[in-house]
Amino acid sequence: MITLTQLEYIVAVDTFRHFGKAAEHCFITQPTLSMQIKKLEEDLEVIIFDRSKQPLIPTDVGKRIIEQSRVILKETERVNDIVKDHKNLISGELKIGIIPTLAPYLLPLFIGNYKRKYPNILITVEELTTENIVDHLNRDLLDVGILVTPLKEERINERPIFYEEMMLYSHKDHSLHNKEKINVKDIATPEIWLLSDGHCFRHQVINLCSYKGASNEELPFHFEAGSLETLMNIIDKEGGITLIPELATVGMPEARNEHVRHFTDVTPLREVSLVYSRHFAKNKLVDLLWKEINAAMPKELLDRERGTIVEWK
């Protein structure tokens, strides 16, 4: 007979791709874990993991078994959620992933209040790129992500929270700084600074130029920064332009805010959402998180109709 414990073991091995790390995660010895997985394979008369590969990988049938095991384990968690909901208990663990272009601006607006309101929720926050957040969600290493959508990932649910404008940031001596009307095509210049590859905001900038007819080939890649603050600091000293998201201007010093301009031909927006696995069980914790972030947003950021969403994929 298949047990939930055996399913937990094969999911752990799939997550860590290592018997030793999986055993440590499950708080058992490696021989015990290996024996239980071997027994499951014998009972099912199939091989779940190809042990000849390093790191080990699931077989084709193993992938299907593991995927179904994740669904079963998530559904099992719902029993605890039903009981907590019945008792009006708000507790549990919530592992959050957030992209770097949101973390420094968004987290301070809500995370403290969320923790104070719900002290029995154990919150862990990790700053990751979108690609890593999706990977971690699929492997149950994260519960929820905060990132830019649409993702168009079959196994991921998206719940939009707000829509922030993409704005121009320029050096005071740049020609666009004092230009009366700024069009999107104006940013297709060798003087634009971009984030490094892997950041969705970089791809949004490129897609925005393409959307308005500018050539991606005109965008230079002389320096690729890992943060928006780095880009703005470089521009302040060395000149040039970049794009920044609207939340980066919240609390920005007045002297720096004078370098920020809006586009006149279009209002480009990026959609920020909570994302989570379709089989995610902690729905109440996500609902409360969504409400907390939504309440912390300036009213205008909640308006989907004030501009055009720029996709990045």
Side-chain angles (χ1 to χ4, degrees), residues 223-243:
F223 175 79
E224 298 178 352
S227 77
L228 292 168
E229 293 298 319
T230 300
L231 287 182
M232 287 189 283
N233 287 337
I234 288 177
I235 288 169
D236 290 344
K237 294 289 186 182
E238 304 297 334
I241 63 170
T242 193
L243 294 192

Side-chain angles (χ1 to χ4, degrees), residues 110-272:
F110 78 90
I111 198 68
N113 285 338
Y114 186 69
K115 181 60 180 175
R116 282 186 288 273
K117 281 185 182 179
Y118 312 109
N120 293 324
I121 299 177
L122 178 61
I123 303 169
T124 303
V125 182
E126 190 173 0
E127 194 172 300
L128 297 164
T129 62
T130 297
E131 182 180 0
N132 285 330
I133 289 176
V134 171
D135 174 69
H136 282 38
L137 288 172
N138 286 330
R139 295 196 290 139
D140 298 325
L141 296 175
L142 285 177
D143 294 315
V144 63
I146 306 174
L147 45 72
V148 172
T149 52
L151 286 178
K152 301 174 183 175
E153 292 279 343
E154 184 179 346
R155 298 169 62 185
I156 300 294
N157 278 334
E158 303 175 8
R159 188 172 177 184
I161 319 170
F162 63 91
Y163 307 87
E164 60 175 344
E165 185 178 350
M166 297 168 66
M167 300 172 164
L168 177 72
Y169 186 88
S170 64
H171 187 272
K172 61 183 177 61
D173 295 329
H174 194 275
S175 60
L176 293 180
H177 182 69
N178 294 312
K179 189 176 180 182
E180 184 179 350
K181 294 183 178 180
I182 302 174
N183 296 325
V184 166
K185 64 180 178 60
D186 295 331
I187 67 173
T189 164
E191 297 168 311
I192 191 169
W193 300 90
L194 297 172
L195 290 170
S196 57
D197 201 13
H199 291 273
C200 59
F201 195 68
R202 169 199 177 105
H203 298 291
Q204 281 185 299
V205 173
I206 294 174
N207 285 349
L208 180 61
C209 294
S210 178
Y211 171 70
K212 296 304 292 184
S215 171
N216 290 354
E217 294 178 0
E218 294 181 44
L219 295 172
F221 298 91
H222 302 304
F223 175 79
E224 298 178 352
S227 77
L228 292 168
E229 293 298 319
T230 300
L231 287 182
M232 287 189 283
N233 287 337
I234 288 177
I235 288 169
D236 290 344
K237 294 289 186 182
E238 304 297 334
I241 63 170
T242 193
L243 294 192
I244 61 173
E246 191 170 356
L247 280 186
T249 67
V250 176
M252 180 181 281
E254 186 61 34
R256 173 165 272 189
N257 202 36
E258 292 176 357
H259 296 259
V260 180
R261 297 287 307 278
H262 300 267
F263 292 105
T264 34
D265 59 338
V266 68
T267 301
L269 301 176
R270 68 174 191 165
E271 178 183 79
V272 177

Side-chain angles (χ1 to χ4, degrees), residues 7 10-12 14-15 17 48-49 58-75 138-140 154-156 277-279:
L7 300 186
I10 63 171
V11 165
D14 180 59
T15 298
R17 299 298 170 95
I48 298 175
F49 292 104
T59 60
D60 288 342
V61 68
K63 289 178 183 177
R64 295 172 61 189
I65 292 170
I66 291 165
E67 184 175 351
Q68 186 61 38
S69 298
R70 291 186 186 276
V71 174
I72 292 168
L73 293 173
K74 287 294 184 183
E75 290 298 321
N138 286 330
R139 295 196 290 139
D140 298 325
E154 184 179 346
R155 298 169 62 185
I156 300 294
S277 166
R278 291 193 181 276
H279 304 298

Side-chain angles (χ1 to χ4, degrees), residues 20-66:
K21 292 178 181 177
E24 184 177 345
H25 174 77
C26 295
F27 302 104
I28 58 171
T29 64
Q30 182 174 332
T32 300
L33 179 135
S34 298
M35 181 182 67
Q36 285 294 323
I37 292 178
K38 186 66 176 174
K39 184 177 185 304
L40 178 60
E41 289 178 322
E42 290 173 353
D43 290 343
L44 296 177
E45 298 182 342
V46 297
I47 301 298
I48 298 175
F49 292 104
D50 183 351
R51 293 162 176 80
S52 67
K53 303 292 175 63
Q54 290 296 328
L56 61 85
I57 59 173
T59 60
D60 288 342
V61 68
K63 289 178 183 177
R64 295 172 61 189
I65 292 170
I66 291 165

